Amino acid sequence: MDTPDRTQIVTPISKFEDSPVFNYINSLSPIKPVKSINIAQTFNSLSFSSPPSVFSSPHLSSQRESRFLKRHFFSGSSKPDLSLEDGLTGNMNEAIPDEVQVPGNPAEPPESSGGGCSIREVTVDPTNENLELALELPRTLKYDCGSPQCNKDSSEGNKTDPMLVVSDLPVTLFQFGENVCVERRLSFQSGAEIHGISQVEPNKEERTECDWESLISDASDLLVLDSSSNAEASRIEDQNTLDIRSSSLKSLTLQEDNAHDMQISESLVQIGSCENHEVDNSAAQSAVDDHKETDHTPDVFSSAFQNNTQADFPTEVVDNKAGSHISFGGKQRGIRRRCLVFDTAGARKRKLEEDSTSSSSVTSQSDGKYTSDDKQLVSIRPCNSTSPCMIPGIGLHLNALAATTRDPRVVKHETLASGKELISMPSSLSSIHSLSVEKKSLSSSLALSSTYTDISPVGNDLQDVLDAPHASVFKVGEDESSPKKKRRKLEQGGESEACKRCNCKKSKCLKLYCECFAAGVYCVEPCSCLECFNKPVHEDTVLATRKQIESRNPLAFAPKVIRSLDSVPEIGEESNKTPASARHKRGCNCKKSNCLKKYCECYQGGVGCSINCRCEGCKNTFGRKDGPSPMGFGEAEQEEEETEAGENNGLDVSLQSKQVRRDEEQCHDHVLPMTFSFQIGRSSMQLPYSSFGKPPRSSLPPQPNFEKHFQIIPEDETPEFLRGNLSPISGIKTGSPNRKRVSPPHRDFVSSPSRRNNRRLVLQSIPSFPSLTQQETSELQ
DNA sequence: GAGTTTGAAACT
DNA sequence: CAGTTTCAAACTC
């Protein structure tokens, strides 16, 4: 390897003799030259303008040389690291420029047309080396800004293409661009060292594979290059670069000059081209797709979703490793999700029909394991065969959110849970769920001797998750012979809320009157409904109905309770008791129950009444609607709260916060802007348990964790959040007149990065009483 | 288990 | 948007 490279290098060097750098390098021992070259290049490129002479043809030569040089360097072993390390940003340019620099102006941004020429020339060279390279080069040329650096990059990129392919991203990823450039360099170097240019391709494949894995592992970025490089030095460098990349990707804006950006873009483009060439490798492609998605996500998704997507990546990647390749880009994923929602329904039917209950249960369990192992995989609690199925449909707004979530998980979830009948499977949530699921699984197992059916929180968008109590926690009613009795027993006994059970007589379970339908779950055996259409068999009808309802009220299926994730209770709210920020989406309208019975949705949800409530004689122990003031209750009430919800809440909060942190860590910071999905992800973890399900019914583990973790931004509220309004309540209040119900916002959920910092709202379906939460929290801890 | 109460959902 | 009706859960006996 080395020898050929060196020989090759010699020629280019001769060409570049003009450049002092080359001379200097030549003077150096063959081994060292690489380093020296790099250094020299850096200097030249950075500080010095390249000699004018170089411009005309030099690019080609420079590129060639660069290749050679790089090869040497890499082969040489030493330097690349330095170059890489030195400047992810500047180094990139430098390294390339060194050779290429000549042309011109180092100062000139890559944008210059010159690059194109050089590339072309380079392409010619490739013929010798590899057709692929040639192909890539032209492509690169197209994209290349023309800056010598770019050229170099491109040339390198050619070699590195595999890596690029792996990491390939849409051009959009500028931030990543820097990284990409580095990667290219690295790859290039590695390639040179490892193999002749011709060899590069195989390397590429390897790289792609390796990269893929690396990507998977890192999720954030483009680690691909690293593994690929054969040379240790190159590896090291690659790693460094990778690390840097990841870091840069996360936080980096383009520090480098436009030239860098250009390079990046070029590299990206090249990558794309490479992908085409290399497409052969399915894995590589998939990886590339993932990368693209990830990369795009940042660019495209300014919203929190990006974060989510990124965060999800790791999992996705892992999943891919596991065997399933998810090729969905974040964006695409989102789109697919929506489709999935519906698709899932179909899938569910299929699966349900095929697998029936048994399969679902099995899958769910297995899933849960996977999820636990994978961390982010959707955790599906083993649902009893009878567990109610989640309805595929999700609120439109939810869908939008779901869209942000990552498909991979969703897919997995679907596949895994498909048997279960989850209606909607937002990926993001699923990921979150996995974690939560694990925890829950433990807690649930403890709490409930009976089997739990988790509803993959994922399934429903926010709703499901939020509503988890309803849907998510399906308690298999199987055990119970008579639905009603069982239900009551369960409720009373509080064993587990399994699936919701309805007793609809006239609504056909296609209206919100039906708890199952409202929860996005299919009716199951335990249900005693008559003429029920809320079954997989009638999926179309169910979905159509859901759409109608959602058309009327986008939030119809959204969680009814909104809770802020922040541990800090909202102003006036009691922190310890009910989730401070938790509020009922619309508020209640109680007249006679004094909000002390489950007739009251607020009470049922375990949240205090808010300004949105129009209740009369409110005595809601969880809090009052009166303004910011926390609960206006008497101490007695507070005591009650404490007893009922307080413990749970407090624990939950702390626990949740911890979990959230954990989740975040796991998920990664990669996700820059926390977005909706991201938050969801966190929450999702908990969601499974979190379900706010009505306390009485479900003995299931409380969702406390979920509450805080899960953040769903109600459409209504979203604007406020976006605005920076923190308190969900306030948002709600502002949005809707006190006495009037808040009309669901028409906007789709848009997560804004800013939200992260801000308080997170959690939409929850009617929360179960806090009591359950304690167990979970304790367990979690 | 039947009947009543309650308030959300749906309708006008 | 307000008022009414429908509906099913929650509750009581």
Side-chain angles (χ1 to χ4, degrees):
Chain A
M1 297 292 293
D2 293 350
T3 56
D5 293 347
R6 290 177 182 176
T7 57
Q8 291 175 347
I9 292 166
V10 172
T11 57
I13 293 167
S14 63
K15 291 179 181 178
F16 292 95
E17 289 174 353
D18 293 349
S19 66
V21 173
F22 289 97
N23 293 338
Y24 175 78
I25 294 165
N26 291 339
S27 66
L28 297 177
S29 65
I31 296 168
K32 293 178 180 178
V34 173
K35 291 179 179 179
S36 64
I37 292 167
N38 291 339
I39 296 166
Q41 290 175 345
T42 57
F43 287 100
N44 292 338
S45 63
L46 293 177
S47 63
F48 302 92
S49 64
S50 62
S53 64
V54 173
F55 288 94
S56 63
S57 61
H59 294 289
L60 295 178
S61 64
S62 65
Q63 291 174 344
R64 292 177 184 177
E65 289 176 354
S66 64
R67 291 178 184 174
F68 295 107
L69 293 175
K70 289 177 181 178
R71 291 177 184 177
H72 290 292
F73 293 111
F74 295 101
S75 62
S77 70
S78 55
K79 279 294 286 293
D81 295 347
L82 295 176
S83 64
L84 293 175
E85 291 175 354
D86 290 349
L88 294 178
T89 62
N91 290 345
M92 296 298 293
N93 293 340
E94 293 176 355
I96 294 164
D98 295 348
E99 298 166 357
V100 172
Q101 273 180 334
V102 175
N105 304 336
E108 290 177 357
E111 292 175 356
S112 65
S113 62
C117 295
S118 64
I119 293 165
R120 290 176 185 175
E121 292 175 353
V122 171
T123 58
V124 174
D125 292 347
T127 58
N128 295 341
E129 294 175 351
N130 289 339
L131 296 176
E132 291 179 353
L133 293 175
L135 294 174
E136 292 175 354
L137 292 175
R139 291 178 183 176
T140 58
L141 292 174
K142 291 177 182 178
Y143 295 95
D144 289 353
C145 298
S147 65
Q149 292 174 344
C150 295
N151 294 342
K152 292 176 179 179
D153 292 348
S154 66
S155 65
E156 292 175 354
N158 293 340
K159 292 177 180 178
T160 59
D161 291 350
M163 296 178 66
L164 293 176
V165 172
V166 172
S167 64
D168 72 342
L169 292 179
V171 174
T172 59
L173 302 178
F174 292 92
Q175 292 175 342
F176 297 138
E178 294 177 353
N179 294 337
V180 172
C181 293
V182 173
E183 289 176 352
R184 289 180 181 177
R185 292 177 181 176
L186 293 176
S187 65
F188 174 81
Q189 293 174 345
S190 65
E193 293 176 354
I194 295 166
H195 303 288
I197 296 167
S198 63
Q199 292 174 344
V200 171
E201 291 177 353
N203 290 344
K204 290 179 179 178
E205 291 176 353
E206 292 175 354
R207 290 177 181 176
T208 56
E209 291 175 354
C210 296
D211 292 350
W212 175 255
E213 292 175 354
S214 65
L215 292 175
I216 293 166
S217 63
D218 291 350
S220 63
D221 309 341
L222 311 171
L223 295 178
V224 175
L225 296 177
D226 297 347
S227 63
S228 64
S229 65
N230 294 340
E232 293 176 353
S234 64
R235 289 178 183 176
I236 295 167
E237 291 177 353
D238 291 350
Q239 291 174 346
N240 293 341
T241 57
L242 291 175
D243 294 346
I244 294 166
R245 291 175 183 174
S246 64
S247 64
S248 64
L249 293 175
K250 292 177 182 177
S251 62
L252 293 181
T253 57
L254 297 177
Q255 293 174 341
E256 293 178 355
D257 296 347
N258 293 341
H260 292 286
D261 294 347
M262 295 300 294
Q263 291 175 343
I264 293 164
S265 64
E266 292 177 353
S267 64
L268 293 176
V269 172
Q270 291 175 344
I271 293 165
S273 64
C274 294
E275 289 177 353
N276 294 340
H277 295 289
E278 293 176 349
V279 170
D280 295 349
N281 294 344
S282 63
Q285 290 176 344
S286 64
V288 169
D289 293 346
D290 292 349
H291 291 292
K292 289 179 179 179
E293 292 176 353
T294 57
D295 291 348
H296 289 289
T297 56
D299 293 346
V300 173
F301 297 91
S302 62
S303 65
F305 291 99
Q306 292 175 343
N307 292 341
N308 292 341
T309 57
Q310 290 175 343
D312 292 348
F313 268 111
T315 57
E316 290 176 354
V317 173
V318 171
D319 293 348
N320 291 343
K321 290 177 178 179
S324 64
H325 294 284
I326 296 164
S327 65
F328 299 90
K331 293 177 181 179
Q332 292 174 346
R333 290 177 182 176
I335 295 167
R336 289 181 181 179
R337 277 189 180 175
R338 291 180 182 177
C339 296
L340 289 176
V341 172
F342 297 99
D343 292 351
T344 56
R348 290 184 221 151
K349 289 179 180 178
R350 294 175 185 175
K351 292 178 179 178
L352 292 176
E353 291 174 354
E354 294 176 354
D355 295 347
S356 73
T357 60
S358 63
S359 64
S360 65
S361 64
V362 171
T363 57
S364 64
Q365 292 174 345
S366 63
D367 293 351
K369 291 177 180 178
Y370 290 104
T371 57
S372 63
D373 294 347
D374 292 350
K375 293 178 180 180
Q376 290 177 337
L377 295 179
V378 173
S379 63
I380 296 166
R381 290 179 183 176
C383 296
N384 291 344
S385 62
T386 59
S387 65
C389 300
M390 296 298 292
I391 295 165
I394 295 170
L396 295 177
H397 62 284
L398 293 177
N399 290 341
L401 294 176
T404 59
T405 61
R406 291 179 185 178
D407 295 350
R409 292 177 183 175
V410 172
V411 172
K412 292 177 180 179
H413 290 291
E414 290 175 352
T415 58
L416 295 176
S418 61
K420 291 181 178 178
E421 297 179 349
L422 296 178
I423 293 168
S424 64
M425 317 212 25
S427 62
S428 64
L429 294 177
S430 66
S431 65
I432 295 167
H433 289 293
S434 64
L435 296 177
S436 63
V437 170
E438 292 176 354
K439 293 177 179 179
K440 287 182 177 179
S441 64
L442 296 176
S443 63
S444 65
S445 63
L446 295 175
L448 298 179
S449 63
S450 64
T451 60
Y452 295 92
T453 58
D454 282 353
I455 295 167
S456 64
V458 172
N460 288 343
D461 295 349
L462 297 179
Q463 289 177 341
D464 293 350
V465 174
L466 294 179
D467 293 347
H470 300 293
S472 65
V473 179
F474 294 108
K475 173 181 189 167
V476 176
E478 294 174 354
D479 295 348
E480 295 176 354
S481 62
S482 65
K484 290 180 181 178
K485 290 179 180 179
K486 290 178 181 178
R487 182 198 288 176
R488 289 181 181 177
K489 289 179 181 178
L490 292 176
E491 291 176 352
Q492 293 175 348
E495 288 178 353
S496 65
E497 259 186 16
C499 309
K500 291 184 175 178
R501 299 177 189 78
C502 67
N503 190 26
C504 303
K505 301 281 178 68
K506 295 179 181 179
S507 66
K508 296 179 181 178
C509 298
L510 290 177
K511 292 186 177 180
L512 294 175
Y513 295 125
C514 176
E515 290 186 356
C516 296
F517 180 80
V521 179
Y522 287 115
C523 293
V524 187
E525 292 178 357
C527 295
S528 61
C529 48
L530 299 176
E531 295 179 356
C532 178
F533 280 82
N534 185 25
K535 293 181 179 178
V537 175
H538 300 287
E539 179 179 358
D540 295 341
T541 300
V542 173
L543 294 176
T545 302
R546 282 180 68 92
K547 287 182 179 179
Q548 285 183 340
I549 294 170
E550 286 178 346
S551 65
R552 278 184 272 163
N553 180 5
L555 295 178
F557 293 92
K560 293 179 180 178
V561 175
I562 298 167
R563 295 184 182 180
S564 66
L565 296 180
D566 292 351
S567 63
V568 175
E570 291 179 354
I571 296 167
E573 291 179 354
E574 292 177 356
S575 62
N576 291 340
K577 300 179 177 180
T578 58
S581 62
R583 288 287 181 278
H584 191 275
K585 179 175 65 180
R586 290 179 309 138
C588 66
N589 191 28
C590 302
K591 301 283 180 65
K592 296 179 180 179
S593 66
N594 295 330
C595 299
L596 292 174
K597 292 184 179 181
K598 293 180 78 175
Y599 295 123
C600 175
E601 289 187 352
C602 295
Y603 179 85
Q604 193 174 31
V607 299
C609 292
S610 64
I611 293 170
N612 292 333
C613 296
R614 300 169 296 283
C615 51
E616 296 177 357
C618 177
K619 293 180 181 178
N620 187 337
T621 59
F622 292 97
R624 286 189 180 179
K625 58 184 176 183
D626 294 347
S629 64
M631 322 243 306
F633 314 161
E635 292 177 353
E637 289 178 351
Q638 291 177 346
E639 289 176 355
E640 290 177 353
E641 291 176 351
E642 289 176 353
T643 58
E644 293 178 352
E647 292 175 354
N648 292 340
N649 292 342
L651 294 176
D652 294 349
V653 171
S654 63
L655 293 176
Q656 289 175 345
S657 63
K658 292 178 181 177
Q659 290 177 342
V660 170
R661 291 177 183 174
R662 292 176 184 175
D663 294 348
E664 290 177 352
E665 291 176 353
Q666 291 176 345
C667 291
H668 291 307
D669 304 341
H670 299 306
V671 179
L672 296 178
M674 284 291 297
T675 52
F676 175 73
S677 63
F678 179 81
Q679 292 174 343
I680 292 167
R682 294 176 182 176
S683 64
S684 66
M685 299 301 292
Q686 293 173 342
L687 291 180
Y689 300 107
S690 67
S691 66
F692 292 81
K694 299 173 179 180
R697 289 183 182 177
S698 63
S699 61
L700 294 180
Q703 321 89 347
N705 294 340
F706 171 104
E707 293 174 351
K708 291 181 178 178
H709 293 292
F710 201 123
Q711 294 175 339
I712 295 167
I713 297 165
E715 292 176 353
D716 295 349
E717 294 175 353
T718 54
E720 291 178 354
F721 288 97
L722 294 176
R723 292 174 185 175
N725 291 346
L726 296 178
S727 67
I729 296 168
S730 63
I732 295 167
K733 292 177 180 178
T734 58
S736 64
N738 295 343
R739 297 301 167 102
K740 292 180 181 178
R741 292 180 182 178
V742 174
S743 62
H746 296 287
R747 294 178 183 175
D748 288 352
F749 287 94
V750 174
S751 62
S752 66
S754 64
R755 290 181 182 175
R756 286 185 179 176
N757 294 341
N758 292 346
R759 180 178 299 177
R760 296 171 185 171
L761 295 180
V762 175
L763 294 180
Q764 292 175 338
S765 60
I766 296 167
S768 60
F769 291 128
S771 63
L772 296 178
T773 59
Q774 291 177 340
Q775 292 174 343
E776 290 179 351
T777 57
S778 63
E779 290 176 355
L780 293 176
Q781 290 177 344

